[in-house]
Every structure is written in C-alpha cells, then in structure tokens.
Amino acid sequence: MLFPDYRGRRMRANANFRRMIRETTISKDDLILPLFAVEGKGVKKPIEAMPGHFQLSGEYIVDMAKQAHAAGIPAIIVFGIPDKKDPLATRAYADDGIVQKTVARIKEAVPEISVITDVCLCGYTDHGHCGVVENGIIENDASLDLLAKTALSHVRSGADMVAPSDMMDGRVTEIRQILDEEGFDQIPIMSYAVKYASAFYGPFRQAAASAPQFGDRKTYQMDPANAVEALREATMDIEEGADIIMVKPALAYLDIIYRLKQEIDLPVAAYNVSGEYSIMKAGEMMGWVNAKDMIMETLVAIKRAGADMILTYSAIEVARQLEEA
Ligand code: PBG
C-alpha cells in the first residue's frame, strides 16, 4: 500500500491508537536489579559515577531488596565487595564471604524475590583479574575449580541462580557438574556467555573495586569487533548446560542480541551496564538530556532487539514508572 492509500500517521494519531499497535512493551517481569554488598553495619556509600547506587551493608541491602520486591521486580543480582583480597580469591568461596552472608540475609527477609549471584573472582583477587594468575598469565583451567567452588557456596547460602561472568572457557561445565553432584540440579545458570571487553564497565569497576591491577581483560573477554564468535560462545555455553545466555553490554551490541535471539532457543538476557547508566545520568545532571525517557527508550530497544530480560541499574525507577503509566 502506498500513499495516499496508506497513511502511517493515522494509527499514530492518539495515545490509544499508539498503544494498540505497539509492538514492544517493557514489563516489570523483564527487570533484574544489580546491587553491591559490603561488609559492616550502617554502610551506604554512594557510588560516585552511578547516582542512586551505593555500596550497601546487610540491613540496607535487605531494604533495597524489599523495595525491589515492592516495586514488582522478580529478581536481583548481587555483587560482593570483600574486606580482604588475595591471589586465590579465597573470600569469593568462603562460607562467611560477603555474598554468602548477604544472600542468606536477603532470602530470610525477602524470600519472595529471586536472588542471582555474580560468580567471578575479579573482586576478590588482589590483582583484580577474573581468574588465577601464574607468571603474569590468567590461567584458564586453574581458575575453573575456584569458580565452581564459588558458585556452590553461593547456592549453599541460598542463591536461586548463579551467573558466571569470568569468561574462562569451560566454566559452565564445571559449575553445572558441581551443582548437580551436590544436589542442586534445579539451580539454573545464567551465563555471561557473550561478554565483550568493554569501556562501558568503567563505573562498575569503581563500584565493585574490581579493576585489573595490571593489563586488561582482553585475553578473556571478547573483542567488540566480533559477532560470529558470539554465536560460538553462546553455543558452547548452551552445550555446557547454561539455562540463560547473556549478552553484555547491551546498547552497543543490539545486533548481537538480535542475532542470538534468532539463532538460539534459550532465553536471552542483556546487561544494560554501568557505563550505559552513568552516561545518561551524567547527561541529565548537565541538563542536556532527559534521562528518564532515554532509559525507557533504551530498554525498549534492548527488548525489541530480542532480549527476554534486562539487568539494569534503573530497574526500580522503571518499575515505578510502569506502575504510574
Ligand atoms: C565481573 C563483572 C563486571 C561486570 C559484571 N560482572 C566487570 C568486568 O568484567 O570488569 C560489569 C557490570 C557493569 O559494568 O555494569 N567480571
């Protein structure tokens, strides 16, 4: 149909018509809120580059979990900031580690919300890499056992799902195996399968105190230039037993989300990362952009590209906005 028979503007003429033909909608069901846990009491330390986010000690993180639940969000993902770091990341898999204690506390206070844990070593190693370092090399196979132990300890403390973000080859197999052996065959793995070496993680590394102390993460995280490789990474993790495949970051990788959604038959998650949040909030502070609308538009775009769920620092504000709408 061509103009004048077709007039695109007819169905855009009012809010009801626009609602009726809307192809993509954001729902609270799509949202996962990341939270940062620290040791101590009464700690609510602002993360400078992420306005509205804090490093939170137990009572405050429970409070945030309650707020998330009250806002209708189904799940949170917890990151831990330990008080001690060492070469083997021992606080990552300690029974009394920060994530383990925090998860137990949240599950006791707000059992209704699902708690996912980020499984990685970078916040717990003194060198800040996601795996074990030997002679300046991030050793893949030597890291697997520690990652599996970390995942198991999270689940033992009550985590409902684990999300390995380290990008070591073979870690999904190791984690699936140890969970199954220990009676946790019902705990899903959300794999950060397609995780790019991205400048958009900058604010997070400040938030989680997890910046690498030498070099960068390019020997394990993916080259932003590669798309076919993303399919390979996703396929590998599916074969190893992942239940959800994540793409990260989201905004600069919508083509990857789209492609994976077409090619794989598992749910696809997208991580709307710290830098994506920070630039919008910073723009708003400058008075240059409307962050609220920009965030909603961004989430719609991520969903339109094919994401089934979105990890986003805006989860609570967006959930409340949806409630008002
Ligand atoms: C840990 C991890 C990172 C993020 C999630 N898990 C940082 C990194 O790989 O350096 C980034 C999240 C964000 O930027 O919001 N490996």
Side-chain angles (χ1 to χ4, degrees):
M1 232 181 353
L2 290 174
F3 176 82
D5 298 323
Y6 178 75
R7 288 182 180 271
R9 293 186 56 188
R10 269 187 212 125
M11 285 305 292
R12 286 176 216 138
N14 62 59
N16 282 338
F17 289 2
R18 290 193 293 273
R19 275 174 70 194
M20 289 160 73
I21 63 161
R22 189 155 293 145
E23 298 172 31
T24 310
T25 48
I26 295 291
S27 138
K28 295 172 195 172
D29 301 345
D30 305 328
L31 306 172
I32 300 170
L33 174 71
L35 292 173
F36 298 98
V38 278
E39 298 279 0
K41 275 199 180 71
V43 185
K44 186 174 181 183
K45 190 173 170 228
I47 299 161
E48 205 190 329
M50 300 172 69
H53 279 271
F54 305 84
Q55 295 182 344
L56 302 166
S57 58
E59 70 279 39
Y60 284 119
I61 205 160
V62 163
D63 185 54
M64 283 304 293
K66 282 185 183 154
Q67 285 188 45
H69 175 58
I73 294 168
I76 57 174
I77 179 164
V78 176
F79 295 91
I81 299 134
D83 46 7
K84 284 195 299 282
K85 302 184 190 238
D86 58 45
L88 292 178
T90 52
R91 300 304 295 163
Y93 40 88
D95 289 338
D96 63 346
I98 180 66
V99 168
Q100 292 78 357
K101 280 190 298 193
T102 304
V103 168
R105 207 162 158 175
I106 295 171
K107 287 310 294 187
E108 197 187 316
V110 206
E112 303 90 345
I113 202 154
S114 293
V115 177
I116 308 169
T117 57
D118 183 86
V119 175
C120 197
L121 305 182
C122 60
Y124 303 85
T125 50
D126 50 8
H127 45 71
H129 279 290
C130 304
V132 174
V133 173
E134 282 160 22
N135 303 320
I137 305 280
I138 295 95
E139 288 289 347
N140 192 85
D141 298 12
S143 307
L144 298 179
D145 180 42
L146 301 187
L147 290 161
K149 267 163 67 173
T150 302
L152 177 62
S153 72
H154 289 177
V155 172
R156 282 197 172 133
S157 70
D160 299 295
M161 187 185 301
V162 290
S165 69
D166 52 283
M167 285 299 277
M168 297 300 124
D169 293 325
R171 92 282 197 184
V172 175
T173 298
E174 293 281 320
I175 292 172
R176 187 69 275 158
Q177 199 178 329
I178 201 168
L179 292 183
D180 289 357
E181 279 167 13
E182 298 294 325
F184 297 113
D185 59 1
Q186 290 302 307
I187 298 291
I189 300 174
M190 173 193 282
S191 176
Y192 288 72
V194 181
K195 179 174 178 183
Y196 289 93
S198 171
F200 285 91
Y201 307 151
F204 173 95
R205 291 179 189 169
Q206 179 196 340
S210 64
Q213 298 303 303
F214 68 89
D216 52 40
R217 303 210 202 286
K218 290 180 183 164
T219 67
Y220 42 106
Q221 298 181 349
M222 285 176 58
D223 184 337
N226 295 353
V228 175
E229 189 184 347
L231 277 176
R232 215 152 56 223
E233 284 287 341
T235 306
M236 182 171 92
D237 283 10
I238 293 168
E239 283 173 10
E240 290 185 25
D243 300 279
I244 298 170
I245 294 297
M246 192 201 298
V247 175
K248 174 181 177 199
L251 210 37
Y253 300 88
L254 295 177
D255 59 322
I256 306 297
I257 296 170
Y258 180 81
R259 238 163 128 153
L260 285 192
K261 190 62 197 169
Q262 306 300 308
E263 308 261 348
I264 70 173
D265 57 3
L266 279 189
V268 174
Y271 201 140
N272 176 214
V273 298
S274 57
E276 301 173 21
Y277 177 81
S278 298
I279 52 179
M280 292 183 193
K281 291 288 180 181
E284 181 173 61
M285 285 162 78
M286 295 296 286
W288 291 345
V289 299
N290 177 336
K292 190 165 153 249
D293 292 350
M294 219 178 221
I295 287 166
M296 194 58 96
E297 185 177 332
T298 301
L299 297 184
V300 167
I302 295 169
K303 188 126 184 250
R304 193 189 63 228
D308 297 291
M309 64 197 93
I310 307 172
L311 297 87
T312 176
Y313 298 97
S314 311
I316 289 189
E317 45 188 311
V318 168
R320 289 182 183 153
Q321 215 173 309
L322 292 171
E323 195 59 43
E324 288 160 18

